[in-house]
Amino acid sequence: MGNPPADGDEDDPDAETDGGLRAYTVRLELVDEPGELLRALAPIADNGGNLLSIHHERGNITPRGHIPVQVDLECPPDRFDDVVEGLRGAGVNVIQAGAEHYGEEINVVLVGHLVETDLSNTLSRIEDEADAVVLDLSLAAPEGTGGISSARARLAIDSGRSSEALAAIRSIGTDKELTVVEPLLGGDA
Amino acid sequence: MKLAILGAGDVGRSVADLAGEYDHEVVALADSTTATVNPNGIAVDDALERKVGDEALGPGVPEDVFEMEYDVLVEATPTTLGDAEPGFSHVKRALEADRHVVLANKGPVAERYEELRALEADSAGSIRFEATVGGAIPVLSTVEDCTPQAVTAVRGVLNGTANFILTRMAAEGLDYEHVLAEAQDLGVAEADPTFDVDGTDAALKFVILANVLADGGFSLEDATVEGIQDIPGSALDLAAEDGRTIRLIGEATRDGVRVGPRLVPENGALAVTGTRNIVQIETRNAGSLHSSGRGAGGPETATAVLSDVGRLPPL
């Protein structure tokens, strides 16, 4: 793996029967320094991906002070994991990777003893049990890490699965004695 | 119509005060221990003056009210939970005497809806209770106009105290305890604000809505209720990073009732500020309707009571 460019996929029978190339979207988070974008795109081409579009959201800085970049690309389905691994291997922060897989974004706010109850475990459980990807996280702990703190997480979830994902997050909240402030779904709230 | 009013708090007094404007006559007004009755209409101003001066409303006792010739019993005694007494018995007595009843008291409609409807079915009188949900905002009559079957959900903010607290916390970056104390100083929150901030008051209103949508089946214990006491100022700050804010939102559908703090778009319809209330009525064929206004207060709630009186058929 690693060398054939996108149009070299024609000799891959599986990809052909599968409809050949498929479109994917990856969201990356880049440090605002010259050359970062180029460095981030190289692993895509190197792993057989074909760039379709790049949406470089300058001016829309994430709470951590980074720049979100959305890249649409196409590649055979069996190459996509290599593309993502290539990006991660190059030290690029991939915050979302998938095709139509993660179609919706929701925000939740968690309140409670977040640090003492192991925030990173809480987030892994959300990813596993709610089948979500944490795109972004902000933490506010005005009382220090031992007190009540709040965290806002932006999550990518499968289209049409918001209710199930929120039910799973609710139950994690109950487990860990955290208050979960959910978005209001439905209607045009 | 001849009105007999039980309960002389803000709402009962305002109904008595405004009844004349709506061409109705007050023949009885009672608080928990005293009453004034007159088949030709009581002197409302004098009675209200005595009430405000902490005197007896009149020489009578509440029992006297039921001896009067009246068309509509206005039940405006304080909301009680569980068996919803004595409100429920008041309604029962009036319906069994083939009189109409208009409730401002949420207890009986939230906790004993099916029993009320059964009593109404055997009576020449009807019950109405617009004032129990959202004060001056015409919520139930809007649902009635859309027909309850065509309404798929009702959502919104129906507690002004909790909304005031969340609004101030978000705007000033203050914590819950600080804003609660301020709300109490301003008279927006009661000395014991528990029912407002723990979501019970909002839940009662959404239970009533669910009962109307599903024609019964719900009481407070069927509702999932969370309050705002545990929401720190930092949670509102984080919500604002993403253009959102937190409101105590209720939802009623035919499947259930849920009240809790929720994230809503900062500039969205449901993010009303201060003590304002709002409901979003989601319909099957006509999208969503929104109504916003004052959800509490004596004269405001009295207008809902008097509108109900106006919708009653002659006996």
Side-chain angles (χ1 to χ4, degrees):
Chain A
M1 295 310 239
N3 42 355
D7 49 2
D9 297 331
E10 266 135 39
D11 54 13
D12 182 339
D14 283 337
E16 275 298 295
T17 46
D18 216 43
L21 301 175
R22 218 171 132 190
Y24 294 89
T25 297
V26 289
R27 275 179 77 86
L28 314 173
E29 198 182 51
L30 302 183
V31 182
D32 191 8
E33 281 172 14
E36 272 298 296
L37 182 60
L38 195 59
R39 193 175 73 80
L41 297 179
I44 297 175
D46 291 349
N47 286 289
N50 192 18
L51 289 169
L52 296 174
S53 73
I54 300 164
H55 183 47
H56 193 203
E57 301 173 25
R58 293 201 69 87
N60 182 15
I61 289 177
T62 67
R64 279 190 297 274
H66 297 169
I67 297 175
V69 178
Q70 183 172 309
V71 180
D72 295 321
L73 61 104
E74 56 184 15
C75 69
D78 58 353
R79 296 273 166 83
F80 184 62
D81 284 349
D82 297 327
V83 169
V84 175
E85 263 170 48
L87 283 164
R88 291 198 164 123
V92 176
N93 189 14
V94 180
I95 52 179
Q96 182 189 343
E100 55 270 42
H101 186 48
Y102 294 112
E104 282 181 35
E105 286 187 10
I106 54 171
N107 275 272
V108 294
V109 171
L110 306 172
V111 177
H113 289 279
L114 293 170
V115 180
E116 284 173 341
T117 57
D118 191 351
L119 181 58
S120 114
N121 167 271
T122 305
L123 296 174
S124 331
R125 284 190 60 186
I126 288 176
E127 296 211 320
D128 295 345
E129 293 166 37
D131 200 8
V133 172
V134 177
L135 300 178
D136 195 49
L137 180 79
S138 309
L139 178 71
E143 299 173 17
T145 52
I148 296 286
S149 48
S150 308
R152 181 184 57 81
R154 190 152 50 88
L155 307 173
I157 50 170
D158 282 357
S159 292
R161 284 200 69 255
S162 309
S163 302
E164 290 96 321
L166 287 169
I169 295 167
R170 255 199 312 277
S171 115
I172 297 166
T174 309
D175 253 19
K176 302 195 111 181
E177 293 181 21
L178 304 173
T179 301
V180 179
V181 183
E182 296 173 33
L184 182 69
L185 306 175
D188 48 8
Chain B
M1 296 254 195
K2 287 185 192 317
L3 310 185
I5 304 169
L6 283 181
D10 283 345
V11 176
R13 292 205 306 269
S14 294
V15 171
D17 188 32
L18 298 176
E21 257 184 56
Y22 289 73
D23 289 330
H24 301 302
E25 193 177 25
V26 182
V27 293
L29 174 64
D31 57 21
S32 56
T33 52
T34 66
T36 174
V37 297
N38 187 329
N40 300 316
I42 63 165
V44 171
D45 289 350
D46 297 347
L48 296 183
E49 207 169 295
R50 288 194 294 277
K51 179 71 188 173
V52 173
D54 263 343
E55 292 172 51
L57 275 171
V61 293
E63 188 63 26
D64 298 344
V65 171
F66 293 98
E67 310 297 322
M68 277 293 104
E69 277 288 319
Y70 64 87
D71 299 307
V72 185
L73 182 77
V74 175
E75 219 306 333
T77 64
T79 295
T80 51
L81 304 182
D83 64 3
E85 292 292 7
F88 182 84
S89 291
H90 295 154
V91 180
K92 185 167 188 264
R93 277 181 84 164
L95 287 173
E96 283 175 350
D98 288 327
R99 305 288 95 191
H100 291 307
V101 182
V102 172
L103 290 112
N105 177 353
K106 294 184 276 292
V109 205
E111 300 285 68
R112 302 177 72 174
Y113 187 84
E114 298 83 358
E115 290 173 78
L116 285 190
R117 286 302 190 198
L119 288 166
E120 185 191 35
D122 291 337
S123 171
S126 319
I127 53 172
R128 299 195 65 90
F129 42 90
E130 178 70 83
T132 60
V133 179
I137 310 169
V139 182
L140 295 171
S141 51
T142 306
V143 171
E144 191 175 45
D145 284 350
C146 298
T147 76
Q149 297 75 21
V151 172
T152 46
V154 183
R155 303 186 181 87
V157 172
L158 285 179
N159 184 276
T161 303
N163 205 61
F164 176 89
I165 292 172
L166 290 172
T167 308
R168 290 285 295 163
M169 284 172 71
E172 310 294 333
L174 297 168
D175 260 317
Y176 171 78
E177 296 296 340
H178 184 114
V179 177
L180 174 61
E182 179 194 79
Q184 285 168 325
D185 286 346
L186 290 170
V188 171
E190 311 217 8
D192 179 1
T194 313
F195 273 21
D196 293 313
V197 299
D198 75 1
T200 306
D201 172 73
L204 285 170
K205 295 164 186 169
F206 283 96
V207 165
I208 292 169
L209 283 161
N211 276 331
V212 169
L213 295 185
D215 197 22
F218 295 96
S219 72
L220 188 58
E221 62 180 26
D222 303 306
T224 305
V225 187
E226 276 178 85
I228 61 162
Q229 310 97 308
D230 296 332
I231 303 293
S234 60
L236 286 144
D237 292 344
L238 290 179
E241 276 182 2
D242 227 48
R244 287 170 173 77
T245 188
I246 298 174
R247 288 290 182 268
L248 183 67
I249 301 280
E251 283 181 277
T253 64
R254 268 173 276 281
D255 299 322
V257 175
R258 184 169 165 204
V259 173
R262 307 290 284 273
L263 288 169
V264 295
E266 218 165 11
N267 299 313
L270 294 185
V272 286
T273 57
T275 55
R276 209 168 175 80
N277 283 196
I278 185 161
V279 287
Q280 175 195 76
I281 297 170
E282 186 187 275
T283 68
R284 196 163 40 228
N285 306 316
S288 287
L289 312 170
H290 290 83
S291 280
S292 176
R294 294 190 188 172
E300 292 85 350
T301 308
T303 62
V305 169
L306 290 160
S307 303
D308 268 353
V309 172
R311 291 187 186 100
L312 289 165
L315 278 171

